[in-house]
Amino acid sequence: MNKLQWYDAFPEVWEATLETLYMVAVSFLLTIVGGVLVGIVLQLTSPSGLWPRRTLNTVLGVIVNLFRSLPFLILLIALIGFTRFVVGTAIGPTAAIVPLTIGAIPFFGRIVESALREVPRGRVEAAQAMGATNLQIVRKVLLPEALSPLIAGATLTLVLLVGYSAMAGVIGGGGLGDFAIVYGYQRFNTPVLLVAVVVLIVMVQIVQSIGDLMIRRLAHRR
């Protein structure tokens, strides 16, 4: 079998890049929604929260810690059956979205919890004195005040998802990870493997730069 030259691999790289962007974008949106909800509940139900519920906080915390403690590759394999049940297949970019999301939500959820905890207590008490409900405090005080660390956490999570998406190639998840394994590692083609690595590095740099820019602009406006 002739080796694919790195300069002939651009059609395959482009297709793999689009697959990576697809699964990372969808899983990121789902992670933001799920992570924000998990983080809010963890903060509200904590002993110092607005709605202390020890049992709920403990159970949710244990679940979050359990999924955070699992290496992503093990999580990928463990969720094969669940992924097949949800999307009808265990391979391909769409299937990879399921473990990507489940793996990232606990990570971002803890970031959200930490960001909300850092909001000055005085602002919360001022809102309570004005008769604001817990939901209003979350929407108008906690989330706006924690916006900068939330953006930083979202950027970190997006970078994490890019790395996770590459690992999904181990079980045929598509994208650049799958391309690197099939066209690079399995064919002992180091130059083609390096092409995938370079594209992933560029993606991470772009994501980090955009996140840093958003944080700087937000700080400037304040």
Side-chain angles (χ1 to χ4, degrees):
M1 181 184 296
N2 293 328
K3 284 187 178 181
L4 181 69
Q5 299 299 320
W6 69 268
Y7 46 80
D8 293 326
F10 287 115
E12 289 80 7
V13 171
W14 177 248
E15 181 180 357
T17 301
L18 292 179
E19 290 177 349
T20 296
L21 291 174
Y22 161 67
M23 55 182 161
V24 168
V26 175
S27 58
F28 178 67
L29 292 176
L30 294 174
T31 296
I32 292 299
V33 174
V36 168
L37 291 176
V38 168
I40 289 175
V41 173
L42 283 172
Q43 172 58 17
L44 291 183
T45 59
S46 67
S48 60
L50 296 172
W51 189 57
R53 293 294 185 276
R54 182 175 180 178
T55 302
L56 175 59
N57 185 268
T58 300
V59 171
L60 183 58
V62 169
I63 294 173
V64 167
N65 291 337
L66 173 64
F67 279 96
R68 286 185 65 198
S69 65
L70 288 175
F72 183 68
L73 187 56
I74 294 177
L75 185 64
L76 273 173
I77 298 171
L79 290 175
I80 287 178
F82 179 72
T83 300
R84 187 179 290 112
F85 171 76
V86 173
V87 298
T89 180
I91 60 175
T94 299
I97 291 171
V98 176
L100 283 173
T101 304
I102 294 177
I105 282 179
F107 177 81
F108 187 60
R110 284 299 188 187
I111 291 177
V112 173
E113 179 194 16
S114 177
L116 297 181
R117 189 186 299 122
E118 295 302 317
V119 175
R121 183 67 184 176
R123 297 179 184 253
V124 175
E125 293 174 347
Q128 288 176 320
M130 297 174 64
T133 64
N134 288 345
L135 180 59
Q136 289 173 329
I137 293 174
V138 170
R139 289 175 51 209
K140 299 182 179 180
V141 179
L142 293 179
L143 291 178
E145 289 294 326
L147 190 55
S148 289
L150 288 178
I151 293 176
T155 302
L156 183 61
T157 302
L158 187 52
V159 170
L160 181 78
L161 283 170
V162 173
Y164 279 178
S165 71
M167 279 189 263
V170 174
I171 61 169
L176 289 165
D178 189 58
F179 168 83
I181 293 172
V182 173
Y183 291 97
Y185 176 74
Q186 292 180 353
R187 302 186 185 186
F188 304 100
N189 196 334
T190 302
V192 170
L193 179 62
L194 290 176
V195 169
V197 172
V198 169
V199 175
L200 286 169
I201 291 174
V202 170
M203 290 176 62
V204 168
Q205 290 298 321
I206 292 174
V207 168
Q208 190 64 58
S209 297
I210 293 175
D212 292 343
L213 178 61
M214 292 176 64
I215 294 172
R216 287 196 300 269
R217 288 190 174 181
L218 182 63
H220 179 71
R221 288 179 182 177
R222 292 190 172 186

